[in-house]
Amino acid sequence: MTGPGAQPNAARSPNVEAAPFLSFCVPTRNRAECLRELLESIAAQATPEIEVVISDDASPDQTAEVVAAFENRLGSLDYQRHDPALRYDRNVLSVVAQARGKFCWLFGDDDRLEPGGLDAVLQALKRDTGLTGLTTGRISFDCTLTERLPFRLFKQQTNRTFNDAASAIRSLLDRLGFLSCQVINRE
């Protein structure tokens, strides 16, 4: 992606013809250490069918260096830094626009992928080929990601298929505030 202020950095994998099945879409700003933990958690589960896409909103910290450290550990990594800053909403849109996967898993830069999480999501996405998206569960932690925090239960506790967006939004409204719970079909 190019445009005013867009500065492509870390390269995509050499095999750009084959689109990944799932893109981790990570908008970030000034959270290099949190981003490092997120990338560690993804790298530990990475498969050839995923890519990691990072849209950096003019971070003044070491974000670019953290991303560069993962170039060899993640088969497909796309990093773009925007300066001047896009701000949050446009940065989220930018990272999804950069993604090439059939599905995009929006991920907060201060979150992490729990062990087994990638496999569970890939299996769910492949089970129902007509999915427009899914919402995952979540585990709340303190800001150091070491202490689990109590959290309110989601209203919906079972798997459910929705046939229209309005009923899905009404039913899942309590989950929409959790960026890392959202996986969407790019189409």
Side-chain angles (χ1 to χ4, degrees):
M1 179 173 156
T2 59
Q7 301 168 356
N9 289 324
R12 285 192 190 271
S13 68
N15 185 11
V16 293
E17 299 83 35
F21 182 71
L22 176 65
S23 299
F24 282 90
C25 297
V26 185
T28 190
R29 175 159 170 82
N30 206 25
R31 288 185 173 161
E33 288 310 310
C34 292
L35 183 62
R36 180 186 319 276
E37 183 151 352
L38 170 60
L39 295 177
E40 282 288 349
S41 71
I42 295 171
Q45 300 177 56
T47 70
E49 58 195 333
I50 69 150
E51 74 172 343
V52 177
V53 182
I54 300 168
S55 182
D56 181 359
D57 204 20
S59 295
D61 65 2
Q62 302 300 313
T63 295
E65 291 82 354
V66 166
V67 173
F70 284 87
E71 282 184 39
N72 294 327
R73 294 185 58 202
L74 293 166
S76 182
L77 175 63
D78 183 19
Y79 171 75
Q80 193 155 92
R81 184 175 195 283
H82 301 278
D83 198 356
L86 298 175
R87 301 295 180 226
Y88 184 74
D89 292 349
R90 288 180 31 221
N91 201 29
V92 170
L93 294 174
S94 174
V95 76
V96 171
Q98 283 173 244
R100 298 177 302 125
K102 177 177 180 177
F103 289 94
C104 295
W105 192 348
L106 301 171
F107 238 91
D109 58 2
D110 61 343
D111 292 332
R112 75 170 175 224
L113 179 62
E114 287 296 302
L118 176 59
D119 186 53
V121 166
L122 288 173
Q123 286 182 33
L125 293 173
K126 291 174 182 178
R127 238 186 334 266
D128 185 348
T129 58
L131 278 178
T132 56
L134 65 86
T135 300
T136 69
R138 73 170 188 324
I139 302 170
S140 295
F141 287 90
D142 67 358
C143 64
T144 66
L145 295 177
T146 57
E147 295 281 327
R148 276 186 131 172
L149 299 174
F151 60 89
R152 65 179 166 75
L153 292 176
F154 287 136
K155 290 178 195 170
Q156 177 165 340
Q157 293 295 313
T158 59
N159 291 341
R160 183 170 166 201
T161 301
F162 296 95
N163 296 320
D164 65 285
S167 63
I169 289 171
R170 276 193 304 276
S171 236
L172 300 173
L173 196 55
D174 63 329
R175 293 185 185 203
L176 294 177
F178 297 97
L179 180 68
S180 300
C181 291
Q182 310 308 319
V183 182
I184 56 172
N185 186 315
R186 287 189 61 230
E187 289 181 12

